[in-house]
């Protein structure tokens, strides 16, 4: 590894860069303030500082910045032909991606790292082995990592850090292994490694903090303060320190899947302690869904224990609270989060600004408006560039399509800037989307969430499911009612129509089970109004009144069906419907 004398580092900063690089080589991370004093091009001219800065950003929970710095460090070490350090940074980048569930390139990187360990395991740093250990925790990548067990990958990582004399990462690797699961940590080679940690703790503060936690001591505020934000948060969730207001951290760590699992566990346990079994079951469903993707022995054991305590299957937590709506279906203007848009796409598009008032961007081109709606319907309001081009602009010469996209993007940015949302759209790494701080809620996303949560609850607890369905169905309207018919919008409209139909049918079924005449008729009538072509909706209404012994109402609804069939389709009701009402 060599120091940087890049020609594009300003002369006035070269001595400072050199001093900081020497400190990195001696195992000392630069202070954030020191890094901030350097201009960006000075930092990015030094792979060593990029490497150290990436580690500092990760420890501080600034994961998105860390990804950018790690990619730059990889390029820098590649230019220096420093293959070992480049491979180490690829390992750290992969570990970071695995933690947040970013698999855009991670599956390929994990395969590459696995092949490197098989080819030259001794040349692979602790970060490489660590990334593979965590990669095996994911259901989608575990099948490609079969040369060793998860524990063996962890062990290799620990030994590499120990051999390199890296006290800090040796300690954090042991803590990460303990958070993964305590089984096996007291015996054999892990006991030996903890003994090594104990010897290092005399001179190393991070090692002392980790040793205290692994040893079972109640973590004090002073101990937690010595840990990186990720580990401090997770340890506090285990010990319930500060858990009265537990929730995902506000930093980039909220994207960390394991952090989300720890937060869900505390939330569920707290709800159980207060006797709120329904909310506890909702939190457990969130854990269950996350564990289908990424599981550790500790989190899996939590789920099983808490499920036994609830005595019920779990159900998913909506990520945002239900919107209040007026009778006309418009979004209400409740105290929005500062500087965020609330957007209605059903029953006509409306954008609500920070004060709750409607904002009206000016559109010169139809495609710019379509682009806005398309992005708002994607997960995290982001889509691959190629996907956007294919869906919105179709086939054609690549250069012309790229120009159409550029023009539409430019107008969309300007339109949002004109209503107070500057720089709302970003394009990075082939992905187009909204910045995180722009959107508070979109009605379609809210509608789908409420509906899916209701689906999860329906199988075992129909009352809360029905409440969620009622919140959802009131949001429904024709998607993009003021937009032209295009294929991708039609597909969305069809999906929403089927979902609305299912919820109305279930609401009718729920109130029929309660023999609530008024609400049963209300929801079955809504089903008939939405889908007059579905004879089963009329059958459900007729069947209910027959069961209630009110033949006149059953016949009345049959007559409506008969009239609709004759006027709309020139047909008659099905024979089974006739038998249902007449009993013959």
């Amino acid at each position: 590894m060599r120091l940087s004398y890049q020609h594009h580092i300003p002369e006035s900063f070269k001595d400072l860069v050199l001093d900081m690089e020497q400190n990195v080589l001696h195992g000392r991370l630069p202070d954030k303030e020191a890094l901030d004093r350097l201009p960006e091009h000075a930092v990015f001219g030094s792979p060593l500082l990029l490497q150290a800065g990436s580690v500092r950003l990760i420890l501080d929970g600034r994961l998105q910045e860390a990804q950018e710095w790690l990619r730059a460090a990889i390029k820098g070490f590649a230019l220096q032909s420093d293959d070992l350090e480049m491979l180490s940074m690829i390992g750290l980048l992969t570990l970071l991606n695995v933690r947040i569930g970013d698999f855009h390139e991670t599956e390929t990187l994990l395969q590459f790292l696995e092949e490197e360990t098989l080819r030259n395991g001794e040349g692979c740093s602790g970060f490489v082995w660590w990334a593979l250990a965590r990669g095996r925790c994911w259901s989608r990548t575990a099948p490609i990592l079969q040369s060793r067990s998860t524990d063996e990958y962890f062990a290799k990582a620990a030994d590499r850090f120990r051999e390199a004399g890296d006290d800090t990462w040796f300690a954090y690797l042991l803590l990460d292994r303990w958070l993964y699961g305590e089984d096996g940590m007291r015996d054999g080679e892990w006991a030996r490694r903890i003994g090594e940690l104990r010897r290092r703790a005399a001179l190393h503060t991070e090692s002392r903090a980790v040793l205290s936690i692994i040893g079972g001591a109640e973590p004090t505020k002073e101990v937690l303060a010595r840990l990186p934000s990720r580990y401090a948060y997770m340890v506090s969730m285990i010990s319930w320190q500060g858990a009265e207001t537990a929730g995902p951290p506000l930093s980039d760590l909220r994207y960390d899947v394991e952090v989300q699992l720890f937060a869900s566990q505390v939330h569920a346990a707290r709800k159980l302690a207060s006797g709120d079994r329904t909310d506890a079951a909702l939190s457990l469903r969130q854990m269950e869904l996350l564990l289908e993707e990424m599981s550790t022995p500790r989190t899996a054991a939590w789920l099983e224990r808490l499920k036994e305590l609830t005595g019920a299957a779990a159900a998913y937590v909506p990520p945002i609270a239900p919107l209040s709506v007026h009778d006309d279906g418009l979004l209400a203007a409740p105290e929005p989060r500062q500087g965020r848009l609330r957007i209605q796409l059903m029953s006509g598009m409306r954008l609500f600004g920070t004060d709750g008032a409607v904002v009206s961007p000016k559109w010169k081109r139809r495609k710019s408006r379509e682009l806005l709606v398309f992005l708002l319907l994607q997960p995290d309001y982001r889509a691959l560039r190629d996907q956007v081009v294919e869906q919105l602009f179709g086939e054609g010469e690549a250069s012309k399509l790229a120009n159409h996209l550029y023009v539409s993007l430019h107008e969309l940015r300007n339109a949002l800037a004109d209503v107070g949302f500057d720089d709302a759209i970003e394009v990075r790494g082939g992905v187009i989307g909204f910045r995180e701080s722009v959107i508070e809620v979109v009605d379609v996303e809210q509608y789908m969430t409420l509906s899916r949560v209701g689906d999860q609850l329906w199988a075992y607890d129909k009352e809360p499911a029905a409440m969620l369905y009622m919140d959802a169905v009131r949001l429904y309207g024709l998607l993009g009612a003021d937009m032209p018919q295009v294929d991708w919008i039609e597909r969305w409209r069809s999906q929403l129509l089927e979902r609305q139909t299912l919820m109305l049918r279930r609401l009718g079924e729920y109130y029929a089970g309660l023999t609530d005449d008024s609400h049963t008729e209300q929801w079955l009538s809504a089903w008939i109004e939405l889908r007059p072509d579905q004879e089963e909706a009329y059958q459900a209404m007729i069947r209910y009144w027959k069961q209630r012994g009110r033949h006149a109402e059953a016949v009345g609804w049959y007559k409506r069906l008969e009239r609709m069939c004759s006027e709309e389709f020139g047909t008659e009701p099905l024979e089974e419907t006739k038998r249902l009402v007449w009993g013959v």
Side-chain angles (χ1 to χ4, degrees), residues 280-319:
L282 295 175
S283 287
L284 289 181
R285 181 54 178 164
Q286 183 177 32
M287 286 187 68
E288 204 167 50
L289 293 176
L290 289 172
L291 284 168
E292 289 176 6
E293 299 294 326
M294 194 285 290
S295 178
T296 68
R298 182 185 293 273
T299 53
W302 279 344
L303 179 67
E304 293 307 311
R305 184 171 68 251
L306 290 170
K307 283 176 70 174
E308 289 175 4
L309 292 174
T310 59
Y316 180 59
V317 174

Side-chain angles (χ1 to χ4, degrees), residues 225-244:
R226 295 192 194 120
L227 296 176
S229 56
R230 178 182 196 268
Y231 293 128
Y233 180 85
M234 294 170 75
V235 170
S236 69
M237 292 300 97
I238 293 175
S239 66
W240 279 48
Q241 287 208 14
E244 289 304 312

Side-chain angles (χ1 to χ4, degrees), residues 290-464:
L290 289 172
L291 284 168
E292 289 176 6
E293 299 294 326
M294 194 285 290
S295 178
T296 68
R298 182 185 293 273
T299 53
W302 279 344
L303 179 67
E304 293 307 311
R305 184 171 68 251
L306 290 170
K307 283 176 70 174
E308 289 175 4
L309 292 174
T310 59
Y316 180 59
V317 174
I320 47 180
L323 294 171
S324 56
V325 294
H326 298 305
D327 290 340
D328 61 1
L330 298 182
L331 299 181
E335 308 173 359
R337 277 181 274 177
Q338 187 64 33
R340 295 202 175 198
L341 277 169
R342 296 166 61 84
I343 300 174
Q344 174 183 315
L345 295 179
M346 294 188 283
S347 302
M349 184 168 67
R350 290 174 185 159
L351 282 65
F352 297 83
T354 56
D355 58 356
V358 176
V359 296
S360 302
K362 296 179 180 178
W363 307 103
K364 296 179 181 177
R365 294 176 177 83
R366 175 174 59 85
K367 285 297 181 183
S368 302
R369 198 159 177 261
E370 281 186 36
L371 176 59
L372 170 65
V373 175
F374 184 81
L375 292 175
L376 291 171
L377 292 173
Q378 307 309 308
D380 297 325
Y381 318 124
R382 294 169 176 268
L384 294 173
R385 179 186 179 279
D386 292 345
Q387 181 187 9
V388 173
V389 170
E390 178 184 351
Q391 294 296 324
L392 268 66
F393 302 102
E395 299 179 352
E397 187 178 331
S399 60
K400 291 183 178 179
L401 294 176
N403 183 62
H404 291 326
L405 176 60
Y406 173 81
V407 171
S408 297
L409 266 173
H410 180 71
E411 183 182 319
L412 176 55
R413 282 172 167 151
N414 288 341
L416 293 173
D418 288 344
V419 295
F421 291 88
D422 295 308
D423 201 25
I425 304 291
E426 62 180 0
V427 181
R428 181 182 299 178
V431 176
I432 301 170
F434 280 88
R435 296 187 184 277
E436 292 178 19
S437 59
V438 176
I439 305 296
E440 181 176 353
V441 70
V442 178
D443 64 341
V444 174
E445 177 186 41
Q446 181 69 2
Y447 173 87
M448 295 296 289
T449 299
L450 291 168
S451 176
R452 286 168 177 160
V453 174
D455 291 346
Q456 296 287 346
L457 284 165
W458 182 257
Y460 76 93
D461 196 345
K462 289 184 170 53
E463 182 178 358

Side-chain angles (χ1 to χ4, degrees), residues 325 447 458 465-476 500-514 516-531 534 536-538 540-541 544-545 557:
V325 294
Y447 173 87
W458 182 257
M467 299 305 105
L468 292 172
Y469 284 155
M470 282 190 282
D471 285 336
V473 296
R474 294 188 177 102
L475 292 173
Y476 180 78
Q500 182 77 353
T501 301
L502 173 65
M503 289 191 289
L504 292 175
R505 186 182 71 196
R506 286 182 170 176
L507 284 169
E509 176 184 330
Y510 171 72
Y511 282 106
L514 300 177
D516 183 328
D517 294 347
S518 175
H519 284 99
T520 301
E521 185 170 37
Q522 173 190 345
W523 295 115
L524 292 180
S525 295
W527 179 12
I528 290 170
E529 182 180 356
L530 179 71
R531 304 296 297 271
Q534 288 193 343
E536 61 180 310
Y538 287 91
M541 183 75 83
Y544 177 74
W545 289 124
W557 279 101

Side-chain angles (χ1 to χ4, degrees), residues 12-55:
S12 57
F13 289 101
K14 282 188 176 179
D15 288 341
L16 179 58
V17 169
L18 182 60
D19 288 342
M20 293 175 72
E21 289 184 330
Q22 292 282 8
N23 285 329
V24 171
L25 289 176
H26 287 92
R28 294 189 292 272
L29 292 178
D31 293 330
K32 176 181 179 297
E33 293 74 17
L35 284 172
D36 288 343
R37 285 197 299 270
L38 288 174
E40 185 176 272
H41 53 280
V43 177
F44 275 66
S46 167
L48 266 177
L49 291 189
L50 284 168
Q51 177 188 48
S54 301
V55 170

